[in-house]
Amino acid sequence: MIKLLSHLSFVAITTPDVEASVDFYVNQVGLTEVAREDGRVYLRCWGDYYAYSVVVAKGDEPSLETMAWRTSSAEALEEAAKRVQAAGIEGEWFEGRGIGRAFRFTGPQGHNMTLHWDVERHRAEPHTASIYPDRPEKRSPVAGAPRQLDHVTVAAKDVDAFVQWYVDTLGFRFMARTVLDEAPISVFSVLTTNEKSHDLGVVLDGSSRAGRINHYAFWVDTREELLIAADTLMENGVPIEYGPNIHGIGEQTFLYYREPSSLRIELNTGGYRNYVPDWEANTWKPSLGSNNMYRNGAMPMSMTESFPPADGPSATEEGVPDEIKDALLNPYAVQGRG
């Protein structure tokens, strides 16, 4: 079977205050603003090979406007679009900034996805060019700035169905999942398009809003850089929501914080690389440390929040025994995140 997708290329998010978010990304996170067009601001990490990896747009609420994947070839883009349409979902072709002809659609649980092959590669100016020929640019002067975009984690009301659709339709590899100790309910799963443990995660959503995002993540090269980033953020008055610690699923060292819109950002490093083509996903239980491998600290309840904010419990809560309702609606409270 043709390999359809190569990697996550960018995320586009919305925020009520574009300038506040952009200022945060540039001065606190260490991203670089590369363009503005039609009210949208394009940003990149110092190690991103393409022109941008984060797009900030105006919106009434913090949300995921789209998550974009580059395909493995021009032919794979055509094939991916055909498979999405064959699955009963109508998409649309459009010309995107720096990505040429692209296909976008809304998945069965409300998440917008953009697929593209063409890219505009970053060309550093002489004063920002790295002495390392394979680096697209010098390191950011901001301490602990991420090298590149890493993954996105969305929220869905049926985790297993979400996984099955993206595996069957777009060829994602299913890598691991977390099922509650109390009941056979899937609260978290990870998928990947490459050798990483995941570039797409999905958490259980107890709300009635479709297409929500829990967080997206950047990558730094070392644990020491992650600790420096944590220190720098705290010194500048940015609260750390959770971490540093290590996930069981994926084995990454992680750190969570918020941008001004309240949208959650993760910084991670480490973890394994998996090249096994017929990998069989393990099922974790929270008691095994799927979220916090050390099992030495509770995850804050704030981590249950996804975006846009929920508008009330969904019907999935009905009929669930009282002893696991909290776990169903708040999967992070039982360390269900990997």
PDB file of all heavy atoms in Angstrom, residues 194-230:
ATOM      1  N   ASN A 194       5.170   8.328  10.941  1.00  0.00           N
ATOM      2  CA  ASN A 194       6.598   8.080  10.725  1.00  0.00           C
ATOM      3  C   ASN A 194       7.173   7.277  11.886  1.00  0.00           C
ATOM      4  O   ASN A 194       6.456   6.479  12.481  1.00  0.00           O
ATOM      5  CB  ASN A 194       7.333   9.411  10.517  1.00  0.00           C
ATOM      6  CG  ASN A 194       6.948  10.451  11.563  1.00  0.00           C
ATOM      7  OD1 ASN A 194       7.118  10.243  12.760  1.00  0.00           O
ATOM      8  ND2 ASN A 194       6.389  11.573  11.126  1.00  0.00           N
ATOM      9  N   GLU A 195       8.443   7.472  12.227  1.00  0.00           N
ATOM     10  CA  GLU A 195       9.078   6.658  13.251  1.00  0.00           C
ATOM     11  C   GLU A 195       8.871   7.171  14.667  1.00  0.00           C
ATOM     12  O   GLU A 195       9.270   6.517  15.639  1.00  0.00           O
ATOM     13  CB  GLU A 195      10.580   6.520  12.969  1.00  0.00           C
ATOM     14  CG  GLU A 195      11.426   7.715  13.363  1.00  0.00           C
ATOM     15  CD  GLU A 195      11.348   8.885  12.388  1.00  0.00           C
ATOM     16  OE1 GLU A 195      10.616   8.770  11.375  1.00  0.00           O
ATOM     17  OE2 GLU A 195      12.019   9.901  12.631  1.00  0.00           O
ATOM     18  N   LYS A 196       8.267   8.348  14.833  1.00  0.00           N
ATOM     19  CA  LYS A 196       7.998   8.871  16.171  1.00  0.00           C
ATOM     20  C   LYS A 196       6.914   8.051  16.867  1.00  0.00           C
ATOM     21  O   LYS A 196       6.115   7.386  16.219  1.00  0.00           O
ATOM     22  CB  LYS A 196       7.554  10.329  16.096  1.00  0.00           C
ATOM     23  CG  LYS A 196       8.615  11.277  15.576  1.00  0.00           C
ATOM     24  CD  LYS A 196       8.213  12.726  15.761  1.00  0.00           C
ATOM     25  CE  LYS A 196       6.951  13.095  15.036  1.00  0.00           C
ATOM     26  NZ  LYS A 196       6.666  14.538  15.125  1.00  0.00           N
ATOM     27  N   SER A 197       6.883   8.145  18.196  1.00  0.00           N
ATOM     28  CA  SER A 197       5.811   7.447  18.918  1.00  0.00           C
ATOM     29  C   SER A 197       4.453   8.002  18.536  1.00  0.00           C
ATOM     30  O   SER A 197       3.460   7.267  18.513  1.00  0.00           O
ATOM     31  CB  SER A 197       6.020   7.577  20.426  1.00  0.00           C
ATOM     32  OG  SER A 197       5.830   8.912  20.862  1.00  0.00           O
ATOM     33  N   HIS A 198       4.386   9.295  18.241  1.00  0.00           N
ATOM     34  CA  HIS A 198       3.137   9.871  17.741  1.00  0.00           C
ATOM     35  C   HIS A 198       3.362  11.276  17.203  1.00  0.00           C
ATOM     36  O   HIS A 198       4.204  12.014  17.681  1.00  0.00           O
ATOM     37  CB  HIS A 198       2.051   9.892  18.814  1.00  0.00           C
ATOM     38  CG  HIS A 198       2.301  10.792  19.991  1.00  0.00           C
ATOM     39  ND1 HIS A 198       3.302  10.594  20.901  1.00  0.00           N
ATOM     40  CD2 HIS A 198       1.634  11.898  20.414  1.00  0.00           C
ATOM     41  CE1 HIS A 198       3.256  11.532  21.838  1.00  0.00           C
ATOM     42  NE2 HIS A 198       2.245  12.333  21.565  1.00  0.00           N
ATOM     43  N   ASP A 199       2.610  11.591  16.165  1.00  0.00           N
ATOM     44  CA  ASP A 199       2.455  12.988  15.771  1.00  0.00           C
ATOM     45  C   ASP A 199       0.977  13.383  15.778  1.00  0.00           C
ATOM     46  O   ASP A 199       0.632  14.518  15.488  1.00  0.00           O
ATOM     47  CB  ASP A 199       3.122  13.318  14.438  1.00  0.00           C
ATOM     48  CG  ASP A 199       2.775  12.366  13.315  1.00  0.00           C
ATOM     49  OD1 ASP A 199       1.813  11.587  13.461  1.00  0.00           O
ATOM     50  OD2 ASP A 199       3.460  12.396  12.272  1.00  0.00           O
ATOM     51  N   LEU A 200       0.115  12.435  16.161  1.00  0.00           N
ATOM     52  CA  LEU A 200      -1.308  12.716  16.375  1.00  0.00           C
ATOM     53  C   LEU A 200      -1.764  11.941  17.603  1.00  0.00           C
ATOM     54  O   LEU A 200      -1.579  10.716  17.685  1.00  0.00           O
ATOM     55  CB  LEU A 200      -2.129  12.297  15.150  1.00  0.00           C
ATOM     56  CG  LEU A 200      -3.641  12.456  15.258  1.00  0.00           C
ATOM     57  CD1 LEU A 200      -4.036  13.905  15.502  1.00  0.00           C
ATOM     58  CD2 LEU A 200      -4.332  11.919  13.994  1.00  0.00           C
ATOM     59  N   GLY A 201      -2.318  12.649  18.567  1.00  0.00           N
ATOM     60  CA  GLY A 201      -2.894  12.023  19.743  1.00  0.00           C
ATOM     61  C   GLY A 201      -4.373  12.347  19.820  1.00  0.00           C
ATOM     62  O   GLY A 201      -4.840  13.321  19.219  1.00  0.00           O
ATOM     63  N   VAL A 202      -5.115  11.523  20.555  1.00  0.00           N
ATOM     64  CA  VAL A 202      -6.547  11.790  20.734  1.00  0.00           C
ATOM     65  C   VAL A 202      -6.941  11.406  22.150  1.00  0.00           C
ATOM     66  O   VAL A 202      -6.624  10.312  22.631  1.00  0.00           O
ATOM     67  CB  VAL A 202      -7.402  11.040  19.684  1.00  0.00           C
ATOM     68  CG1 VAL A 202      -7.093   9.553  19.670  1.00  0.00           C
ATOM     69  CG2 VAL A 202      -8.897  11.269  19.930  1.00  0.00           C
ATOM     70  N   VAL A 203      -7.604  12.322  22.852  1.00  0.00           N
ATOM     71  CA  VAL A 203      -8.104  12.083  24.205  1.00  0.00           C
ATOM     72  C   VAL A 203      -9.625  12.015  24.167  1.00  0.00           C
ATOM     73  O   VAL A 203     -10.275  12.568  23.279  1.00  0.00           O
ATOM     74  CB  VAL A 203      -7.670  13.200  25.191  1.00  0.00           C
ATOM     75  CG1 VAL A 203      -6.161  13.304  25.279  1.00  0.00           C
ATOM     76  CG2 VAL A 203      -8.282  14.541  24.815  1.00  0.00           C
ATOM     77  N   LEU A 204     -10.174  11.324  25.142  1.00  0.00           N
ATOM     78  CA  LEU A 204     -11.621  11.215  25.239  1.00  0.00           C
ATOM     79  C   LEU A 204     -12.232  12.568  25.577  1.00  0.00           C
ATOM     80  O   LEU A 204     -11.769  13.269  26.474  1.00  0.00           O
ATOM     81  CB  LEU A 204     -11.990  10.200  26.326  1.00  0.00           C
ATOM     82  CG  LEU A 204     -13.483   9.929  26.511  1.00  0.00           C
ATOM     83  CD1 LEU A 204     -14.072   9.274  25.264  1.00  0.00           C
ATOM     84  CD2 LEU A 204     -13.716   9.046  27.725  1.00  0.00           C
ATOM     85  N   ASP A 205     -13.290  12.932  24.858  1.00  0.00           N
ATOM     86  CA  ASP A 205     -13.973  14.203  25.071  1.00  0.00           C
ATOM     87  C   ASP A 205     -15.370  13.933  25.609  1.00  0.00           C
ATOM     88  O   ASP A 205     -16.185  13.282  24.953  1.00  0.00           O
ATOM     89  CB  ASP A 205     -14.064  14.968  23.748  1.00  0.00           C
ATOM     90  CG  ASP A 205     -14.459  16.422  23.926  1.00  0.00           C
ATOM     91  OD1 ASP A 205     -14.892  16.785  25.040  1.00  0.00           O
ATOM     92  OD2 ASP A 205     -14.325  17.204  22.960  1.00  0.00           O
ATOM     93  N   GLY A 206     -15.637  14.419  26.816  1.00  0.00           N
ATOM     94  CA  GLY A 206     -16.957  14.258  27.407  1.00  0.00           C
ATOM     95  C   GLY A 206     -17.900  15.396  27.090  1.00  0.00           C
ATOM     96  O   GLY A 206     -19.013  15.438  27.605  1.00  0.00           O
ATOM     97  N   SER A 207     -17.478  16.330  26.240  1.00  0.00           N
ATOM     98  CA  SER A 207     -18.339  17.470  25.901  1.00  0.00           C
ATOM     99  C   SER A 207     -19.144  17.163  24.649  1.00  0.00           C
ATOM    100  O   SER A 207     -18.962  16.133  24.003  1.00  0.00           O
ATOM    101  CB  SER A 207     -17.498  18.726  25.667  1.00  0.00           C
ATOM    102  OG  SER A 207     -16.981  18.743  24.346  1.00  0.00           O
ATOM    103  N   SER A 208     -20.017  18.079  24.286  1.00  0.00           N
ATOM    104  CA  SER A 208     -20.824  17.913  23.075  1.00  0.00           C
ATOM    105  C   SER A 208     -20.307  18.770  21.925  1.00  0.00           C
ATOM    106  O   SER A 208     -20.970  18.895  20.901  1.00  0.00           O
ATOM    107  CB  SER A 208     -22.287  18.269  23.376  1.00  0.00           C
ATOM    108  OG  SER A 208     -22.393  19.598  23.851  1.00  0.00           O
ATOM    109  N   ARG A 209     -19.103  19.336  22.085  1.00  0.00           N
ATOM    110  CA  ARG A 209     -18.514  20.134  21.010  1.00  0.00           C
ATOM    111  C   ARG A 209     -17.559  19.269  20.196  1.00  0.00           C
ATOM    112  O   ARG A 209     -16.682  18.605  20.731  1.00  0.00           O
ATOM    113  CB  ARG A 209     -17.763  21.340  21.559  1.00  0.00           C
ATOM    114  CG  ARG A 209     -18.644  22.312  22.311  1.00  0.00           C
ATOM    115  CD  ARG A 209     -17.963  23.650  22.529  1.00  0.00           C
ATOM    116  NE  ARG A 209     -17.885  24.426  21.299  1.00  0.00           N
ATOM    117  CZ  ARG A 209     -17.562  25.719  21.261  1.00  0.00           C
ATOM    118  NH1 ARG A 209     -17.268  26.366  22.373  1.00  0.00           N
ATOM    119  NH2 ARG A 209     -17.515  26.374  20.124  1.00  0.00           N
ATOM    120  N   ALA A 210     -17.730  19.298  18.896  1.00  0.00           N
ATOM    121  CA  ALA A 210     -16.891  18.490  18.014  1.00  0.00           C
ATOM    122  C   ALA A 210     -15.628  19.261  17.632  1.00  0.00           C
ATOM    123  O   ALA A 210     -15.576  20.490  17.710  1.00  0.00           O
ATOM    124  CB  ALA A 210     -17.673  18.117  16.755  1.00  0.00           C
ATOM    125  N   GLY A 211     -14.604  18.523  17.230  1.00  0.00           N
ATOM    126  CA  GLY A 211     -13.420  19.125  16.635  1.00  0.00           C
ATOM    127  C   GLY A 211     -12.516  19.875  17.576  1.00  0.00           C
ATOM    128  O   GLY A 211     -11.799  20.780  17.158  1.00  0.00           O
ATOM    129  N   ARG A 212     -12.512  19.499  18.855  1.00  0.00           N
ATOM    130  CA  ARG A 212     -11.705  20.266  19.810  1.00  0.00           C
ATOM    131  C   ARG A 212     -10.252  19.792  19.832  1.00  0.00           C
ATOM    132  O   ARG A 212      -9.914  18.685  19.439  1.00  0.00           O
ATOM    133  CB  ARG A 212     -12.308  20.163  21.206  1.00  0.00           C
ATOM    134  CG  ARG A 212     -13.723  20.743  21.295  1.00  0.00           C
ATOM    135  CD  ARG A 212     -14.068  21.203  22.699  1.00  0.00           C
ATOM    136  NE  ARG A 212     -14.039  20.097  23.649  1.00  0.00           N
ATOM    137  CZ  ARG A 212     -13.926  20.280  24.972  1.00  0.00           C
ATOM    138  NH1 ARG A 212     -13.804  21.491  25.476  1.00  0.00           N
ATOM    139  NH2 ARG A 212     -13.946  19.238  25.788  1.00  0.00           N
ATOM    140  N   ILE A 213      -9.376  20.658  20.339  1.00  0.00           N
ATOM    141  CA  ILE A 213      -7.960  20.365  20.505  1.00  0.00           C
ATOM    142  C   ILE A 213      -7.627  20.391  21.993  1.00  0.00           C
ATOM    143  O   ILE A 213      -8.160  21.219  22.741  1.00  0.00           O
ATOM    144  CB  ILE A 213      -7.074  21.386  19.739  1.00  0.00           C
ATOM    145  CG1 ILE A 213      -5.582  21.064  19.922  1.00  0.00           C
ATOM    146  CG2 ILE A 213      -7.390  22.818  20.155  1.00  0.00           C
ATOM    147  CD1 ILE A 213      -4.657  21.972  19.107  1.00  0.00           C
ATOM    148  N   ASN A 214      -6.770  19.475  22.428  1.00  0.00           N
ATOM    149  CA  ASN A 214      -6.288  19.510  23.802  1.00  0.00           C
ATOM    150  C   ASN A 214      -4.977  20.281  23.897  1.00  0.00           C
ATOM    151  O   ASN A 214      -4.783  21.079  24.800  1.00  0.00           O
ATOM    152  CB  ASN A 214      -6.116  18.096  24.347  1.00  0.00           C
ATOM    153  CG  ASN A 214      -5.746  18.081  25.818  1.00  0.00           C
ATOM    154  OD1 ASN A 214      -4.578  18.118  26.169  1.00  0.00           O
ATOM    155  ND2 ASN A 214      -6.753  18.059  26.679  1.00  0.00           N
ATOM    156  N   HIS A 215      -4.070  20.041  22.963  1.00  0.00           N
ATOM    157  CA  HIS A 215      -2.814  20.790  22.927  1.00  0.00           C
ATOM    158  C   HIS A 215      -2.080  20.497  21.629  1.00  0.00           C
ATOM    159  O   HIS A 215      -2.429  19.587  20.886  1.00  0.00           O
ATOM    160  CB  HIS A 215      -1.907  20.415  24.112  1.00  0.00           C
ATOM    161  CG  HIS A 215      -1.383  19.018  24.085  1.00  0.00           C
ATOM    162  ND1 HIS A 215      -2.057  17.959  24.654  1.00  0.00           N
ATOM    163  CD2 HIS A 215      -0.242  18.482  23.557  1.00  0.00           C
ATOM    164  CE1 HIS A 215      -1.369  16.853  24.488  1.00  0.00           C
ATOM    165  NE2 HIS A 215      -0.258  17.139  23.815  1.00  0.00           N
ATOM    166  N   TYR A 216      -1.077  21.295  21.361  1.00  0.00           N
ATOM    167  CA  TYR A 216      -0.111  20.914  20.341  1.00  0.00           C
ATOM    168  C   TYR A 216       1.276  21.094  20.936  1.00  0.00           C
ATOM    169  O   TYR A 216       1.441  21.743  21.971  1.00  0.00           O
ATOM    170  CB  TYR A 216      -0.300  21.701  19.038  1.00  0.00           C
ATOM    171  CG  TYR A 216       0.165  23.129  19.048  1.00  0.00           C
ATOM    172  CD1 TYR A 216       1.449  23.468  18.608  1.00  0.00           C
ATOM    173  CD2 TYR A 216      -0.676  24.165  19.464  1.00  0.00           C
ATOM    174  CE1 TYR A 216       1.877  24.784  18.589  1.00  0.00           C
ATOM    175  CE2 TYR A 216      -0.254  25.474  19.452  1.00  0.00           C
ATOM    176  CZ  TYR A 216       1.026  25.781  19.005  1.00  0.00           C
ATOM    177  OH  TYR A 216       1.448  27.088  18.999  1.00  0.00           O
ATOM    178  N   ALA A 217       2.275  20.462  20.310  1.00  0.00           N
ATOM    179  CA  ALA A 217       3.574  20.337  20.970  1.00  0.00           C
ATOM    180  C   ALA A 217       4.730  20.748  20.074  1.00  0.00           C
ATOM    181  O   ALA A 217       4.717  20.537  18.851  1.00  0.00           O
ATOM    182  CB  ALA A 217       3.780  18.903  21.438  1.00  0.00           C
ATOM    183  N   PHE A 218       5.760  21.293  20.726  1.00  0.00           N
ATOM    184  CA  PHE A 218       7.047  21.579  20.100  1.00  0.00           C
ATOM    185  C   PHE A 218       8.089  20.590  20.609  1.00  0.00           C
ATOM    186  O   PHE A 218       7.909  19.939  21.643  1.00  0.00           O
ATOM    187  CB  PHE A 218       7.511  23.008  20.441  1.00  0.00           C
ATOM    188  CG  PHE A 218       6.644  24.092  19.878  1.00  0.00           C
ATOM    189  CD1 PHE A 218       5.904  24.924  20.724  1.00  0.00           C
ATOM    190  CD2 PHE A 218       6.573  24.310  18.515  1.00  0.00           C
ATOM    191  CE1 PHE A 218       5.127  25.947  20.214  1.00  0.00           C
ATOM    192  CE2 PHE A 218       5.786  25.326  17.989  1.00  0.00           C
ATOM    193  CZ  PHE A 218       5.067  26.154  18.850  1.00  0.00           C
ATOM    194  N   TRP A 219       9.212  20.542  19.910  1.00  0.00           N
ATOM    195  CA  TRP A 219      10.304  19.622  20.230  1.00  0.00           C
ATOM    196  C   TRP A 219      11.582  20.389  20.548  1.00  0.00           C
ATOM    197  O   TRP A 219      11.921  21.348  19.854  1.00  0.00           O
ATOM    198  CB  TRP A 219      10.567  18.700  19.039  1.00  0.00           C
ATOM    199  CG  TRP A 219      11.750  17.793  19.195  1.00  0.00           C
ATOM    200  CD1 TRP A 219      13.028  18.023  18.771  1.00  0.00           C
ATOM    201  CD2 TRP A 219      11.761  16.517  19.818  1.00  0.00           C
ATOM    202  NE1 TRP A 219      13.837  16.963  19.094  1.00  0.00           N
ATOM    203  CE2 TRP A 219      13.081  16.016  19.739  1.00  0.00           C
ATOM    204  CE3 TRP A 219      10.790  15.734  20.436  1.00  0.00           C
ATOM    205  CZ2 TRP A 219      13.445  14.781  20.259  1.00  0.00           C
ATOM    206  CZ3 TRP A 219      11.153  14.500  20.946  1.00  0.00           C
ATOM    207  CH2 TRP A 219      12.456  14.034  20.852  1.00  0.00           C
ATOM    208  N   VAL A 220      12.270  19.975  21.603  1.00  0.00           N
ATOM    209  CA  VAL A 220      13.636  20.444  21.860  1.00  0.00           C
ATOM    210  C   VAL A 220      14.551  19.231  21.842  1.00  0.00           C
ATOM    211  O   VAL A 220      14.104  18.096  22.033  1.00  0.00           O
ATOM    212  CB  VAL A 220      13.767  21.199  23.198  1.00  0.00           C
ATOM    213  CG1 VAL A 220      13.008  22.518  23.153  1.00  0.00           C
ATOM    214  CG2 VAL A 220      13.290  20.344  24.372  1.00  0.00           C
ATOM    215  N   ASP A 221      15.848  19.458  21.632  1.00  0.00           N
ATOM    216  CA  ASP A 221      16.772  18.348  21.417  1.00  0.00           C
ATOM    217  C   ASP A 221      17.077  17.543  22.677  1.00  0.00           C
ATOM    218  O   ASP A 221      17.316  16.332  22.600  1.00  0.00           O
ATOM    219  CB  ASP A 221      18.099  18.859  20.845  1.00  0.00           C
ATOM    220  CG  ASP A 221      17.952  19.354  19.416  1.00  0.00           C
ATOM    221  OD1 ASP A 221      16.935  19.034  18.776  1.00  0.00           O
ATOM    222  OD2 ASP A 221      18.864  20.054  18.940  1.00  0.00           O
ATOM    223  N   THR A 222      17.111  18.199  23.816  1.00  0.00           N
ATOM    224  CA  THR A 222      17.570  17.529  25.026  1.00  0.00           C
ATOM    225  C   THR A 222      16.696  17.864  26.224  1.00  0.00           C
ATOM    226  O   THR A 222      15.989  18.880  26.245  1.00  0.00           O
ATOM    227  CB  THR A 222      19.016  17.939  25.370  1.00  0.00           C
ATOM    228  OG1 THR A 222      19.031  19.321  25.737  1.00  0.00           O
ATOM    229  CG2 THR A 222      19.959  17.702  24.202  1.00  0.00           C
ATOM    230  N   ARG A 223      16.778  17.012  27.238  1.00  0.00           N
ATOM    231  CA  ARG A 223      16.063  17.257  28.487  1.00  0.00           C
ATOM    232  C   ARG A 223      16.572  18.537  29.141  1.00  0.00           C
ATOM    233  O   ARG A 223      15.791  19.292  29.742  1.00  0.00           O
ATOM    234  CB  ARG A 223      16.254  16.068  29.428  1.00  0.00           C
ATOM    235  CG  ARG A 223      15.526  16.183  30.755  1.00  0.00           C
ATOM    236  CD  ARG A 223      15.673  14.893  31.556  1.00  0.00           C
ATOM    237  NE  ARG A 223      14.955  14.957  32.821  1.00  0.00           N
ATOM    238  CZ  ARG A 223      15.461  15.429  33.960  1.00  0.00           C
ATOM    239  NH1 ARG A 223      16.707  15.873  33.974  1.00  0.00           N
ATOM    240  NH2 ARG A 223      14.744  15.446  35.063  1.00  0.00           N
ATOM    241  N   GLU A 224      17.871  18.793  29.016  1.00  0.00           N
ATOM    242  CA  GLU A 224      18.434  20.013  29.609  1.00  0.00           C
ATOM    243  C   GLU A 224      17.816  21.253  28.991  1.00  0.00           C
ATOM    244  O   GLU A 224      17.522  22.230  29.701  1.00  0.00           O
ATOM    245  CB  GLU A 224      19.955  20.014  29.430  1.00  0.00           C
ATOM    246  CG  GLU A 224      20.701  19.026  30.306  1.00  0.00           C
ATOM    247  CD  GLU A 224      20.500  17.574  29.881  1.00  0.00           C
ATOM    248  OE1 GLU A 224      20.179  17.337  28.693  1.00  0.00           O
ATOM    249  OE2 GLU A 224      20.666  16.685  30.733  1.00  0.00           O
ATOM    250  N   GLU A 225      17.589  21.231  27.680  1.00  0.00           N
ATOM    251  CA  GLU A 225      16.950  22.379  27.035  1.00  0.00           C
ATOM    252  C   GLU A 225      15.519  22.547  27.523  1.00  0.00           C
ATOM    253  O   GLU A 225      15.035  23.681  27.675  1.00  0.00           O
ATOM    254  CB  GLU A 225      16.977  22.208  25.518  1.00  0.00           C
ATOM    255  CG  GLU A 225      18.336  22.418  24.891  1.00  0.00           C
ATOM    256  CD  GLU A 225      18.281  22.266  23.389  1.00  0.00           C
ATOM    257  OE1 GLU A 225      18.037  23.278  22.704  1.00  0.00           O
ATOM    258  OE2 GLU A 225      18.471  21.143  22.905  1.00  0.00           O
ATOM    259  N   LEU A 226      14.822  21.443  27.732  1.00  0.00           N
ATOM    260  CA  LEU A 226      13.459  21.528  28.246  1.00  0.00           C
ATOM    261  C   LEU A 226      13.448  22.159  29.632  1.00  0.00           C
ATOM    262  O   LEU A 226      12.594  23.004  29.942  1.00  0.00           O
ATOM    263  CB  LEU A 226      12.824  20.140  28.259  1.00  0.00           C
ATOM    264  CG  LEU A 226      11.351  20.073  28.647  1.00  0.00           C
ATOM    265  CD1 LEU A 226      10.626  19.016  27.816  1.00  0.00           C
ATOM    266  CD2 LEU A 226      11.172  19.748  30.133  1.00  0.00           C
ATOM    267  N   LEU A 227      14.403  21.782  30.481  1.00  0.00           N
ATOM    268  CA  LEU A 227      14.483  22.354  31.821  1.00  0.00           C
ATOM    269  C   LEU A 227      14.836  23.841  31.756  1.00  0.00           C
ATOM    270  O   LEU A 227      14.331  24.649  32.540  1.00  0.00           O
ATOM    271  CB  LEU A 227      15.504  21.595  32.653  1.00  0.00           C
ATOM    272  CG  LEU A 227      15.181  20.120  32.925  1.00  0.00           C
ATOM    273  CD1 LEU A 227      16.309  19.464  33.703  1.00  0.00           C
ATOM    274  CD2 LEU A 227      13.858  19.973  33.669  1.00  0.00           C
ATOM    275  N   ILE A 228      15.699  24.201  30.812  1.00  0.00           N
ATOM    276  CA  ILE A 228      16.028  25.617  30.628  1.00  0.00           C
ATOM    277  C   ILE A 228      14.791  26.388  30.181  1.00  0.00           C
ATOM    278  O   ILE A 228      14.533  27.504  30.646  1.00  0.00           O
ATOM    279  CB  ILE A 228      17.171  25.774  29.609  1.00  0.00           C
ATOM    280  CG1 ILE A 228      18.491  25.291  30.218  1.00  0.00           C
ATOM    281  CG2 ILE A 228      17.297  27.224  29.141  1.00  0.00           C
ATOM    282  CD1 ILE A 228      19.624  25.186  29.227  1.00  0.00           C
ATOM    283  N   ALA A 229      14.005  25.787  29.281  1.00  0.00           N
ATOM    284  CA  ALA A 229      12.775  26.438  28.836  1.00  0.00           C
ATOM    285  C   ALA A 229      11.820  26.646  30.001  1.00  0.00           C
ATOM    286  O   ALA A 229      11.212  27.712  30.139  1.00  0.00           O
ATOM    287  CB  ALA A 229      12.110  25.608  27.740  1.00  0.00           C
ATOM    288  N   ALA A 230      11.683  25.622  30.858  1.00  0.00           N
ATOM    289  CA  ALA A 230      10.818  25.753  32.030  1.00  0.00           C
ATOM    290  C   ALA A 230      11.295  26.882  32.924  1.00  0.00           C
ATOM    291  O   ALA A 230      10.493  27.699  33.412  1.00  0.00           O
ATOM    292  CB  ALA A 230      10.788  24.435  32.804  1.00  0.00           C
TER     293      ALA A 230
END
